[in-house]
Amino acid sequence: MALKTYWTFVIILITTCRSFADDDNHEMEEFLKREHSLSKPYQGVGSSSSSHWELMGDAMVTTEQVRLTTDMQSKQGAVWSRIPCHLRDWELQVHFKIHGQGKKNLNGDGLAIWYTKERMQKGPVFGNQDLFTGLGVFVDTYPNEEKHLEAQKTRYTTRTQRIFPFVLAMVGNGSISYDHERDGRPTELGGCNAMVRNLNHDTFIFIRYVRRRLTIMIDIDGQHEWRDCLDIPGVRLPQGYYFGASAVTGDLSDNHDVISLKLYQLTVLRSETEEKEEEDEITLPSVDNMDLLKMGENEEGWSSIAMFFTILFSMLGCFLLIVVGLIVYSHWNENRRKRFY
């Protein structure tokens, strides 16, 4: 009996603790934090005050998932952790599913994964409040800005047009508003397209925060392989915030399901220099290189216009050179003929 208990403990330890290295060859170990994780059979979720997780709005628990919204209009729901997270480095793996009867671009609106100071607050940002403080990762399934431009009979350039659904991230400090009409473009850190609707295989989002670096990857192709989505250094997130997930529907709808949220504590070996750089306590979320990110976005947005004017002025310059060349040649040829008289 004692031997069986011992091997049971070893199996649990192996499944909850893994060792690996990140891209910068920093040795790391990860430990599953059950008090911050949500998985089947969802015991007590939404019905017991002793549960670590709490439901809000139209969210409901089934045997297979936590359904944030059903495939009906004007629904919003969320599930929030009751326990603040005080981990320095962490990794969140989200198993989710979005499905419904609507055809492409006739569905909405999407779901969000949160690590924020506030919790259990209804609002317009995928079912959560605007002007939030912390990190939001959004799976946006409806192109609001594109539809607005189509109504005005204008279109994106090929460089700025997006394929939806689209995964993006935003860091808020309590005073930054999410621009719903522009699909969050003015405040996003980056993102990637992710065709996640009505799939017959599992879909996952991977969010890692290590050494003030935010990395997001997706596994949506049924190949059990992570695909890069964004990787941003200089992201400052305070400790003591709450994890959650929310979703919303409007005139268009979808089922938005969370199957599991698994949080891992990462133990990272740091050098003395890295320890000194990170010794200051973070009190307000921020991104060190946000201005550079926005500059890159503006350059991308204006690239097609700049290219048009570059080509135009180049053609005008060439034409001007040809005209000047013809005039000079004409004068030279005329003077040459005069010398024969």
Side-chain angles (χ1 to χ4, degrees):
M1 184 67 179
L3 184 61
K4 181 179 180 181
T5 303
Y6 169 76
W7 283 113
T8 302
F9 172 76
V10 170
I11 291 172
I12 292 174
L13 185 62
I14 291 173
T15 57
T16 58
C17 174
R18 292 186 298 168
S19 179
F20 59 98
D22 67 358
D23 294 338
D24 297 325
N25 293 321
H26 287 77
E27 288 295 328
M28 290 189 288
E29 287 185 337
E30 62 178 25
F31 301 87
L32 178 65
K33 304 297 289 184
R34 297 187 183 277
E35 67 272 26
H36 294 293
S37 299
L38 175 70
S39 59
K40 298 177 185 179
Y42 316 115
Q43 291 181 350
V45 176
S47 60
S48 173
S49 58
S50 63
S51 171
H52 295 324
W53 294 83
E54 187 174 3
L55 298 182
M56 183 181 73
D58 299 308
M60 65 180 73
V61 177
T62 73
T63 57
E64 298 299 321
Q65 69 269 317
V66 175
R67 178 152 291 174
L68 302 177
T69 72
T70 56
D71 190 3
M72 299 178 65
Q73 294 179 335
S74 303
K75 299 291 183 180
Q76 60 176 330
V79 58
W80 283 95
S81 173
R82 283 192 167 106
I83 305 174
C85 177
H86 293 279
L87 301 181
R88 186 180 185 183
D89 303 292
W90 49 265
E91 175 183 297
L92 183 67
Q93 295 183 17
V94 183
H95 183 188
F96 70 100
K97 187 176 183 64
I98 301 176
H99 55 108
Q101 299 298 317
K103 297 181 180 180
K104 180 176 173 60
N105 290 343
L106 291 176
N107 58 277
D109 284 323
L111 65 80
I113 309 301
W114 303 98
Y115 174 70
T116 57
K117 180 180 180 180
E118 309 85 7
R119 61 183 294 275
M120 301 293 289
Q121 300 292 325
K122 290 185 178 181
V125 186
F126 299 94
N128 189 39
Q129 73 170 68
D130 197 6
L131 305 177
F132 59 88
T133 309
L135 171 68
V137 177
F138 312 131
V139 184
D140 192 351
T141 59
Y142 185 76
N144 292 285
E145 185 174 22
E146 183 177 335
K147 295 301 181 183
H148 179 69
L149 291 176
E150 286 180 0
Q152 295 180 333
K153 297 183 179 180
T154 57
R155 291 187 177 276
Y156 283 119
T157 65
T158 55
R159 287 177 61 86
T160 58
Q161 187 173 16
R162 287 179 174 170
I163 299 174
F164 280 75
F166 195 84
V167 176
L168 65 149
M170 170 183 170
V171 170
N173 60 11
S175 63
I176 302 174
S177 181
Y178 174 82
D179 191 339
H180 184 266
E181 295 301 320
R182 295 198 58 198
D183 301 315
R185 288 187 185 226
T187 54
E188 70 176 31
L189 299 180
C192 61
N193 68 289
M195 308 306 290
V196 297
R197 288 192 71 246
N198 291 336
L199 299 178
N200 294 323
H201 53 262
D202 295 331
T203 50
F204 300 87
I205 291 180
F206 167 102
I207 306 169
R208 178 187 287 170
Y209 181 67
V210 176
R211 298 168 59 246
R212 298 182 180 177
R213 189 181 196 97
L214 178 67
T215 303
I216 297 178
M217 294 187 284
I218 57 176
D219 176 5
I220 62 173
D221 299 320
Q223 303 297 320
H224 302 290
E225 295 180 355
W226 294 111
R227 174 160 64 89
D228 293 337
C229 186
L230 67 87
D231 185 27
I232 305 294
V235 177
R236 299 172 182 267
L237 298 175
Q239 298 176 29
Y241 284 8
Y242 297 90
F243 286 102
S246 67
V248 67
T249 67
D251 293 334
L252 302 174
S253 62
D254 257 336
N255 295 302
H256 298 93
D257 300 336
V258 171
I259 291 90
S260 67
L261 294 162
K262 294 183 179 180
L263 183 72
Y264 294 87
Q265 178 182 4
L266 301 181
T267 303
V268 184
L269 297 178
R270 288 175 167 81
S271 65
E272 291 185 6
T273 302
E274 290 172 332
E275 288 288 354
K276 289 181 179 179
E277 290 176 351
E278 299 181 20
E279 64 182 2
D280 295 335
E281 181 182 2
I282 301 172
T283 58
L284 194 66
S286 64
V287 181
D288 291 347
N289 54 352
M290 193 64 187
D291 292 339
L292 294 177
L293 291 172
K294 293 295 100 180
M295 186 182 300
E297 182 180 282
N298 291 335
E299 288 176 356
E300 181 179 348
W302 284 96
S303 60
S304 59
I305 298 177
M307 185 179 298
F308 169 76
F309 281 109
T310 299
I311 294 173
L312 177 63
F313 287 124
S314 297
M315 292 177 64
L316 290 175
C318 290
F319 178 75
L320 183 61
L321 286 174
I322 292 172
V323 171
V324 171
L326 289 174
I327 292 174
V328 171
Y329 175 77
S330 177
H331 282 292
W332 175 81
N333 196 32
E334 183 178 350
N335 291 333
R336 180 171 173 272
R337 286 198 304 268
K338 288 181 179 179
R339 286 200 298 269
F340 290 100
Y341 294 98

